[in-house]
């Protein structure tokens, strides 16, 4: 069984696609739906379960998913749920056209978290190695986070060290949950800047989510790089607007 998501009408797809290989059709489809919500500009193809609907990984389905994802010269990152899904994928990659196989990376990453992280990174225009690395990094994205110190200032201003800083209050009733976290990560991908929120990488949807920031939380923003000011301005505007949820 294969199914795909992330094919918006009238919009060019990202240059890296994802294939999600699971023993369960429901799990593959659910993870695909979730990742597609976070990154609507990325082609995500699910290959889950056997042809008869049972649990397992189907060689033909995985092959078809990789070939679909790799159309139009796209690169492909494959994520799997269990060891035998890895074996099936490796068998497929040994048999497909060598040119396609060179554009595929099998990521040793958590299935759901890796899919979300990779999708958001791909949506920002990252290349194959960057998308695969983002998926792998997701395995370390849920350790404890030390909260950044808060201040009373709200103005965006460059400091002597070249860092642009700002403080904002989170207005969203549900806090910094998956949707606004993905909005932030996608937004910042367009700027030549390194941005952190409360000490975590603001380009990582998972690191933003693990902050557990709730309504009323103070968000400490720091940015450096050629477009630091523009990035902070865009982010603070989005926060002040409640990411369109208020």
């Amino acid at each position: 069984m294969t199914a795909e998501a992330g094919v918006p009408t009238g919009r060019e797809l990202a240059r890296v696609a994802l294939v999600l290989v699971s023993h369960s059709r429901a799990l593959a489809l659910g993870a695909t739906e979730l990742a597609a919500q976070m990154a609507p500009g990325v082609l995500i193809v699910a290959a889950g379960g056997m042809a008869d609907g049972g649990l397992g990984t189907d060689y033909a389905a995985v092959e078809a998913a990789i070939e679909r994802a790799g159309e139009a010269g796209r690169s492909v990152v494959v994520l799997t749920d269990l060891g035998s899904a890895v074996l099936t994928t490796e068998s497929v990659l040994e048999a497909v056209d060598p040119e396609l196989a060179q554009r595929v990376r099998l990521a040793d990453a958590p299935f759901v978290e890796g899919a979300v992280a990779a999708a958001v990174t791909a949506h920002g225009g990252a290349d194959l190695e960057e998308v695969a690395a983002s998926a792998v990094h997701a395995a370390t994205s849920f350790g404890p986070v030390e909260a950044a110190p808060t201040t009373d200032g709200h103005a965006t201003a460059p400091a002597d060290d070249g860092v642009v800083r700002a403080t904002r209050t989170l207005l969203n009733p549900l806090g910094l949950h998956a949707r606004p976290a993905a909005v932030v990560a996608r937004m910042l991908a367009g700027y030549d800047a390194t941005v952190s929120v409360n000490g975590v990488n603001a380009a990582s949807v998972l690191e933003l989510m693990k902050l557990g920031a709730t309504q009323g939380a103070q968000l400490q923003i720091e940015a450096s790089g050629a477009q630091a000011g523009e990035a902070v301005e865009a982010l603070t505007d989005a926060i002040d607007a409640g990411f369109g949820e208020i």
Side-chain angles (χ1 to χ4, degrees), residues 158-187:
D160 291 340
D161 58 4
V163 177
V164 180
R165 296 180 172 88
T167 302
R168 285 296 188 273
T169 299
L170 185 61
L171 304 178
N172 300 59
L174 296 178
L176 194 56
H177 61 93
R179 196 197 71 82
V183 169
V184 171
R186 295 199 306 262
M187 173 196 306

Side-chain angles (χ1 to χ4, degrees), residues 148 150-154 167-170 198 213-214 216-220:
T150 59
T151 65
D152 294 328
H154 289 270
T167 302
R168 285 296 188 273
T169 299
L170 185 61
N198 288 9
T214 58
Q218 294 296 297
L219 302 180
Q220 307 296 320

